[in-house]
Amino acid sequence: FPRRDQLFGYDLVILGDVPADYLGKQHQEWLRDFVKEGGGLVVIAGREHAPADYVDTPLAEVLPVEFVPTRFPAEGARTQPFLPVRTEEGKRGGLLTLAEGEEADAKAWAKVPGWYWNYPVTKLRPGAVSLLNHPRLMAGDKPMPVVASQAYGKGEVLFLASPETWRWRYNAGDRYFARFWGQVVYR
């Protein structure tokens, strides 16, 4: 992990399924402060640690979603795939644009492979927005967010409830995968 002064030299940190103990409380506080001062943070959920390990930690408050800590087997039973549904905010924000023009973008979204797993979210935090929802699962009386964002201080946090964007490379190479991640990094 970089020193605090080095961390603030970055624009974005992408955090995958990393145990909270690995970061420790001090580094989590640094990450929280990093976002508060204008940095970007992407948190990608995983089966073992994220976000389950982060309940009651300094990073929990920056996440745009609330959740119940849940552990999953490393390799679970294969379920039916689902194609996340873009919300109006997701369509407008540009982050989820996979092709130029509304019609081409809708066709691109119809082509991307679905996801098989997501971390269950109970609700959005106040001020957060869902960009992609699960097509069938609910979080209370609303569709369950699978990609959500929120401003925190001067920065922004993006939460992906699934690590499966890599599936978008199937039969498309990097066309959709690289465009999505390029837009995430740029934003």
Side-chain angles (χ1 to χ4, degrees):
F1 201 87
R3 293 187 324 258
R4 182 177 169 89
D5 61 318
Q6 291 173 326
L7 173 64
F8 282 76
Y10 291 97
D11 295 319
L12 174 68
V13 173
I14 299 175
L15 188 63
D17 198 17
V18 177
D21 291 347
Y22 176 79
L23 292 174
K25 185 176 180 185
Q26 182 181 45
H27 290 155
Q28 291 177 46
E29 289 171 348
W30 291 1
L31 280 171
R32 180 194 58 205
D33 296 345
F34 166 77
V35 174
K36 192 181 244 182
E37 292 303 316
L41 177 65
V42 176
V43 177
I44 305 169
R47 292 178 176 275
E48 295 184 40
H49 303 289
D53 283 6
Y54 294 94
V55 170
D56 298 326
T57 69
L59 277 182
E61 71 183 68
V62 307
L63 295 177
V65 294
E66 294 184 14
F67 55 90
V68 174
T70 307
R71 296 263 190 249
F72 300 89
E75 288 300 321
R78 193 162 180 135
T79 61
Q80 289 295 323
F82 67 92
L83 185 59
V85 177
R86 288 186 298 165
T87 64
E88 288 305 312
E89 292 87 354
K91 289 177 184 177
R92 285 193 307 264
L95 186 69
L96 299 175
T97 301
L98 298 180
E100 292 304 318
E102 212 172 297
E103 189 176 318
D105 193 38
K107 285 181 182 178
W109 272 98
K111 289 180 188 176
V112 295
W115 293 345
Y116 287 86
W117 181 84
N118 68 282
Y119 195 94
V121 169
T122 57
K123 69 178 185 177
L124 286 171
R125 290 194 187 275
V129 295
S130 179
L131 304 174
L132 285 177
N133 287 334
H134 196 289
R136 297 181 297 274
L137 299 179
M138 302 295 284
D141 60 346
K142 297 182 179 178
M144 181 184 295
V146 292
V147 174
S149 72
Q150 81 171 4
Y152 185 84
K154 297 176 189 173
E156 185 173 1
V157 179
L158 183 70
F159 175 78
L160 282 80
S162 178
E164 297 187 5
T165 57
W166 61 269
R167 293 185 183 281
W168 294 348
R169 297 176 79 188
Y170 183 75
N171 284 338
D174 282 336
R175 183 180 321 141
Y176 306 131
F177 178 82
R179 182 164 181 153
F180 169 74
W181 282 105
Q183 290 168 162
V184 167
V185 169
Y186 181 75
R187 183 167 170 178

